[in-house]
Amino acid sequence: MGILSRMIPTEDASARKREIEEKLKQEQETLSFIRENLEKSDQLTKGMVSILSSFESRLMQLENSIIPVHKQTENLQRLQENVDKTLSCMDHVISYYHVAKDTDRIIREGPTGRLDEYLACIAKIQKAVEYFQDNNPDSPELNTVKARFEKGKELLEAEFRNLLTRYSKPVPPILILDAISVDEELEVQEEVVLEHLPEAVLQDIICIAGWLVEYGRNQDFMNVYFQIRSNQLDRSIKGLKEHFRKNSASSGVPYSPAVQTKRKDTPTKKVPKRPVYIPGTIRKAQNLLKQYSQHGLDGKKGGSNLTPLEGKDDVLDIEIDSYIHCISAFVKLAQSEYALLLEIIPEHHQKKTFDSLIQEALDNLMLEGDNIVSAARRAIMRHDYSAVLTIFPILRHLKMNKSEFDSTLQGTAASTKNKLPTLITSMETIGAKALEEFADSIKNDPDKEYNMPKDGTVHELTSNAILFLQQLLDFQETAGAMLASQVLGDTYNIPLDPRESSSSASSYTSEFNKRLLSTYICKVLGNLQLNLLSKSKVYEDAALRAIFLHNNYNYILKSLEKSELIQLVTVTQKRAESLYRELIEQQIISYKSSWFKVTEHLSEKNMPVFQPGTKLKDKERQIIKDKFKGFNDGLEELCKTQKGWAIPDKEQRDFIRRSQKTVVSEAYRAFLQRCANISFTKNPEKYHKYHPEHVEQMIEKLFDTSA
């Protein structure tokens, strides 16, 4: 055991020694390999250093040889460039001295037909001017090119004027009518574009205007522009007026697109937007009202013998229709002109130029409107209240288009924008004055015996008053606004809603205007009733007085019922219809009382009391004779007199006849029956002249002037 244990460690040590020796040997071999490689690397490094040193030496030699050559070449190139630049500058400078000669022909011939080439020449001249001003301001060449530049600018301005003058034409009336009208059958409207200038011409004008602003330093062309375009705008509107006159003259009736007629020369089928006025609708009223105002008030015999002034009214219709459409045309044309102006005139001059452009046409329209107001004022002074009817359609159209009008004139001077409101105010003022004076004239119309209808029919004052009021139906809002503009609420005692308390007419609501107009109509009707009562006193015969009032009241009621006047009246007078029926019934009762002097002879009053077969005394026989004679004479007298009276309303005429026949014939039959067995005369046919049927026939012929 001991020996074995000592041997094992000895063997391990030997093995380990051998292992260490092997590793040492390997490390020695590796070290030898590294040393050999280091030696080779040192040799290679020495060789590379030697090569680089040789290359550096040679490069330095090359650089020493090349750099002087490079510097000489660079200097030569710089000298060449300087020579080229000098030659180029000389050519450029020399060219300025030849600009006047080179551009002479083109400048003299002008820009017509070759604007681009002409502007290129102007640009050359402008550069020459700038060169001489900067480099040689005292040279004569500067004056030459300056003169050439000014000449070129003058020819451009002349070309601007010539192009505008040559190609600016009035817009044809047919195109204007198409532009301001719409076809109600089409959901999507086809907009009519007004082309004032050909596209190529427009581009030339824009180009010239741009050059004049940027280089010409000249604003005179803007004055030229607005003068020429202003003239064309005015001519377009005047052409539309002439179109109306010619069409009206050739057709015999006022032409208006408001009447839906097909026009062969119309590019598209158009109907005017919001038919503002149909010619002739007021003519009948004007004729009758003029007859009354000019003859009835002057004390001359008026009425059926007057000849209507048809020719004059045709002209008036044309003028009204023409003016209304010219207002719409002005708005459309002005909008089109502004769109054109935006392309040509610099932005900061656009509003002022547009303001100047529209002045002539706008002033002419406003002057024409003022003339209409003045004519109406003169007519009203002559008590011709029909003149206000011409204002209604115009005023309504002006107010309907005011917002578009204001939008078109936005940005113009205050004096320009205020022209339409001023005209509207004038029309509302004169209209309200006419309405008020008409109401007063109805109240104060004098009672003239020779002017009263002999047959008790409707007085011309009544027919004229109703006719005038009926014309207001088509202009209810306009007429109400007229009255409201004069703040007449206190006059009519109309309670104001808190929202309507402003004194400004614009604050009045449509409902208030309607109430105000209703109150005005009631005022006219009230004045008419009072005047009719006064006029009826001219008749000495109470029965004729009753027939006269009956006819007039009945005419008023039927006229109110046939039109929408009754609805307008009932806005403030709920019982108007029943009140007139009561008045009519009162006059019928009053008329019937005229027959009392006939039927009183048929009563039992003073009739003798007798027994059958008893002989009457002379006094008793005379009483019966007097009753027969009184009845016969009264019947004949009344029938003779009343046969010449008139009740135009057949329904009322038949009713009164039938009612009177019943009363008289029943009383007469009863009287005859009482006297049937009485012998009061030897000649009964002398007193018993009429049979009951004959009496009914006589009454049936009452109020029949043809019988």
Side-chain angles (χ1 to χ4, degrees):
M1 289 290 292
I3 297 172
L4 182 61
S5 60
R6 287 193 299 270
M7 290 178 64
I8 293 173
T10 303
E11 292 178 359
D12 290 339
S14 299
R16 185 162 182 79
K17 182 179 178 181
R18 286 193 299 272
E19 182 179 354
I20 292 171
E21 289 176 352
E22 289 178 359
K23 287 182 179 181
L24 180 61
K25 184 180 181 179
Q26 290 176 358
E27 291 294 335
Q28 289 176 347
E29 291 177 355
T30 301
L31 181 61
S32 297
F33 178 76
I34 291 172
R35 285 175 178 171
E36 291 176 0
N37 287 331
L38 286 174
E39 290 177 358
K40 290 180 180 179
S41 176
D42 289 340
Q43 292 176 358
L44 292 174
T45 301
K46 290 178 180 180
M48 180 62 66
V49 169
S50 177
I51 292 171
L52 290 175
S53 297
S54 177
F55 180 76
E56 181 181 5
S57 175
R58 293 179 181 180
L59 187 61
M60 289 179 64
Q61 292 177 0
L62 180 62
E63 182 179 357
N64 293 332
S65 301
I66 293 299
I67 286 178
V69 175
H70 173 72
K71 288 182 178 180
Q72 291 177 1
T73 303
E74 185 178 9
N75 290 334
L76 290 174
Q77 288 178 342
R78 188 177 296 110
L79 291 174
Q80 181 65 41
E81 290 176 359
N82 290 337
V83 170
D84 291 340
K85 288 181 179 179
T86 301
L87 292 174
S88 176
C89 289
M90 290 297 294
D91 291 340
H92 184 67
V93 170
I94 292 172
S95 69
Y96 289 136
Y97 286 87
H98 292 87
V99 163
K101 180 179 179 181
D102 294 342
T103 60
D104 180 66
R105 180 181 60 83
I106 295 177
I107 295 299
R108 279 190 292 102
E109 293 177 355
T112 304
R114 52 176 178 183
L115 181 61
D116 292 339
E117 183 182 3
Y118 189 86
L119 290 178
C121 286
I122 292 289
K124 290 181 181 179
I125 297 172
Q126 186 176 9
K127 288 181 180 179
V129 171
E130 293 172 354
Y131 170 79
F132 288 118
Q133 284 178 337
D134 294 338
N135 298 280
N136 194 2
D138 298 328
S139 64
E141 286 79 7
L142 176 60
N143 295 330
T144 302
V145 291
K146 271 188 175 182
R148 188 59 48 84
F149 181 80
E150 291 300 322
K151 179 65 175 178
K153 185 172 71 171
E154 290 176 6
L155 292 178
L156 274 178
E157 293 172 351
E159 180 69 2
F160 183 86
R161 178 188 295 273
N162 291 338
L163 287 176
L164 272 177
T165 304
R166 187 182 310 125
Y167 293 99
S168 291
K169 305 296 181 184
V171 181
I174 297 301
L175 287 181
I176 296 177
L177 291 174
D178 284 337
I180 64 177
S181 62
V182 295
D183 191 338
E184 295 178 348
E185 297 178 358
L186 298 178
E187 294 183 0
V188 180
Q189 301 299 331
E190 180 181 349
E191 184 177 358
V192 178
V193 179
L194 301 176
E195 294 184 356
H196 298 286
L197 298 169
E199 184 60 28
V201 174
L202 175 60
Q203 293 306 318
D204 284 351
I205 291 175
I206 293 173
C207 186
I208 295 174
W211 188 93
L212 291 174
V213 170
E214 185 174 358
Y215 302 109
R217 305 293 190 270
N218 189 353
Q219 298 181 4
D220 291 343
F221 78 95
M222 300 180 197
N223 296 331
V224 172
Y225 179 84
F226 88 71
Q227 289 169 1
I228 295 175
R229 294 308 307 170
S230 174
N231 181 49
Q232 297 308 319
L233 174 61
D234 190 54
R235 288 177 61 192
S236 297
I237 295 177
K238 289 179 179 177
L240 181 62
K241 292 181 184 178
E242 187 63 25
H243 176 77
F244 273 88
R245 294 191 184 98
K246 287 183 178 179
N247 278 273
S248 301
S250 60
S251 62
V253 294
Y255 167 75
S256 171
V259 181
Q260 300 183 20
T261 56
K262 294 182 179 179
R263 293 175 282 147
K264 294 182 180 179
D265 53 350
T266 304
T268 55
K269 178 183 177 183
K270 300 291 179 184
V271 181
K273 177 172 64 177
R274 300 186 298 267
V276 293
Y277 172 66
I278 300 179
T281 55
I282 302 176
R283 188 182 309 158
K284 179 181 178 182
Q286 288 178 318
N287 281 334
L288 294 177
L289 289 170
K290 286 176 182 176
Q291 291 170 15
Y292 168 67
S293 63
Q294 295 176 1
H295 295 266
L297 288 178
D298 293 339
K300 301 177 182 178
K301 183 177 180 180
S304 60
N305 293 329
L306 293 177
T307 302
L309 305 175
E310 290 293 339
K312 182 177 179 181
D313 287 319
D314 285 343
V315 173
L316 181 61
D317 278 331
I318 298 169
E319 294 300 324
I320 295 173
D321 198 28
S322 172
Y323 186 71
I324 286 173
H325 284 84
C326 284
I327 290 293
S328 297
F330 171 80
V331 174
K332 185 62 67 175
L333 290 172
Q335 292 171 347
S336 180
E337 286 291 346
Y338 188 68
L340 178 65
L341 178 145
L342 292 178
E343 299 187 69
I344 300 173
I345 304 301
E347 182 178 359
H348 52 287
H349 293 285
Q350 290 170 357
K351 295 295 184 182
K352 181 179 179 181
T353 304
F354 179 68
D355 196 342
S356 301
L357 190 154
I358 62 174
Q359 282 303 314
E360 183 177 2
L362 180 59
D363 286 343
N364 288 339
L365 285 176
M366 296 302 105
L367 177 61
E368 190 173 348
D370 290 338
N371 290 338
I372 292 173
V373 172
S374 298
R377 185 178 292 108
R378 290 192 298 270
I380 292 169
M381 292 176 65
R382 300 192 305 268
H383 307 292
D384 176 12
Y385 302 109
S386 66
V388 73
L389 299 178
T390 65
I391 291 179
F392 278 113
I394 296 174
L395 178 58
R396 181 174 66 179
H397 187 68
L398 291 178
K399 297 183 75 172
M400 288 171 63
N401 289 272
K402 185 177 181 301
S403 60
E404 190 173 7
F405 207 100
D406 292 342
S407 176
T408 302
L409 300 186
Q410 186 176 6
T412 58
S415 59
T416 302
K417 289 186 286 190
N418 289 336
K419 288 180 179 179
L420 182 66
T422 300
L423 178 59
I424 289 176
T425 300
S426 297
M427 288 190 171
E428 285 186 330
T429 301
I430 195 65
K433 178 179 175 63
L435 291 176
E436 283 302 295
E437 290 195 9
F438 176 77
D440 293 339
S441 71
I442 295 298
K443 179 180 180 180
N444 301 320
D445 183 63
D447 305 330
K448 300 176 181 178
E449 185 174 354
Y450 52 80
N451 201 36
M452 295 293 288
K454 305 301 181 183
D455 55 1
T457 189
V458 178
H459 196 280
E460 61 184 352
L461 176 67
T462 302
S463 59
N464 279 310
I466 295 299
L467 191 58
F468 185 90
L469 295 179
Q470 287 175 340
Q471 302 310 308
L472 301 183
L473 288 174
D474 292 332
F475 307 98
Q476 295 183 33
E477 185 64 29
T478 303
M482 275 184 179
L483 298 171
S485 69
Q486 303 304 307
V487 196
L488 298 176
D490 293 338
T491 303
Y492 299 118
N493 297 317
I494 299 294
L496 286 175
D497 187 274
R499 294 168 298 178
E500 303 168 335
S501 59
S502 171
S503 60
S504 174
S506 60
S507 67
Y508 291 117
T509 65
S510 178
E511 185 61 30
F512 175 76
N513 291 347
K514 188 175 183 180
R515 295 201 308 272
L516 194 56
L517 181 59
S518 173
T519 306
Y520 170 78
I521 293 175
C522 290
K523 176 183 178 181
V524 173
L525 293 176
N527 290 347
L528 178 60
Q529 182 180 346
L530 291 174
N531 198 299
L532 290 173
L533 283 171
S534 177
K535 289 184 184 300
S536 67
K537 297 176 182 178
V538 172
Y539 296 112
E540 296 180 358
D541 193 324
L544 180 56
R545 190 182 308 138
I547 291 296
F548 170 76
L549 292 175
H550 165 273
N551 284 332
N552 282 272
Y553 293 154
N554 184 66
Y555 176 83
I556 294 172
L557 177 60
K558 290 297 177 66
S559 298
L560 294 177
E561 291 176 335
K562 287 179 181 179
S563 64
E564 297 178 5
L565 276 174
I566 190 64
Q567 287 88 352
L568 197 53
V569 169
T570 53
V571 170
T572 53
Q573 181 53 266
K574 304 298 183 183
R575 294 189 63 248
E577 190 172 356
S578 60
L579 289 174
Y580 273 108
R581 294 193 186 282
E582 291 173 6
L583 290 173
I584 293 170
E585 183 61 30
Q586 290 174 7
Q587 300 310 316
I588 292 176
I589 294 173
S590 179
Y591 163 75
K592 288 181 177 179
S593 64
S594 67
W595 282 85
F596 290 166
K597 62 182 180 181
V598 176
T599 57
E600 67 177 354
H601 297 290
L602 305 178
S603 66
E604 294 184 0
K605 183 180 179 181
N606 299 327
M607 193 72 174
V609 179
F610 56 87
Q611 297 295 328
T614 304
K615 186 177 180 180
L616 297 177
K617 298 178 181 179
D618 292 341
K619 182 178 179 180
E620 293 174 337
R621 286 197 300 271
Q622 189 60 43
I623 290 175
I624 297 176
K625 289 179 182 180
D626 289 342
K627 282 184 173 292
F628 268 104
K629 187 177 186 306
F631 173 76
N632 293 335
D633 292 345
L635 178 65
E636 291 170 356
E637 181 184 354
L638 279 183
C639 288
K640 180 180 179 181
T641 301
Q642 296 185 7
K643 186 172 68 173
W645 298 353
I647 299 181
D649 189 327
K650 184 178 183 302
E651 181 181 349
Q652 287 290 312
R653 184 170 65 243
D654 292 343
F655 170 76
I656 293 175
R657 284 173 176 173
R658 187 168 53 251
S659 175
Q660 205 57 44
K661 279 194 302 184
T662 301
V663 173
V664 176
S665 63
E666 286 181 358
Y668 189 49
R669 290 177 192 276
F671 177 74
L672 292 179
Q673 188 175 1
R674 288 196 299 272
C675 299
N677 298 320
I678 301 176
S679 178
F680 63 92
T681 180
K682 294 180 179 180
N683 300 310
E685 66 277 359
K686 178 181 177 182
Y687 296 97
H688 188 187
K689 294 172 61 175
Y690 303 105
H691 294 286
E693 293 77 9
H694 191 193
V695 171
E696 291 180 355
Q697 291 175 0
M698 294 173 68
I699 296 176
E700 188 65 30
K701 293 180 180 180
L702 295 178
F703 317 117
D704 187 0
T705 56
S706 63

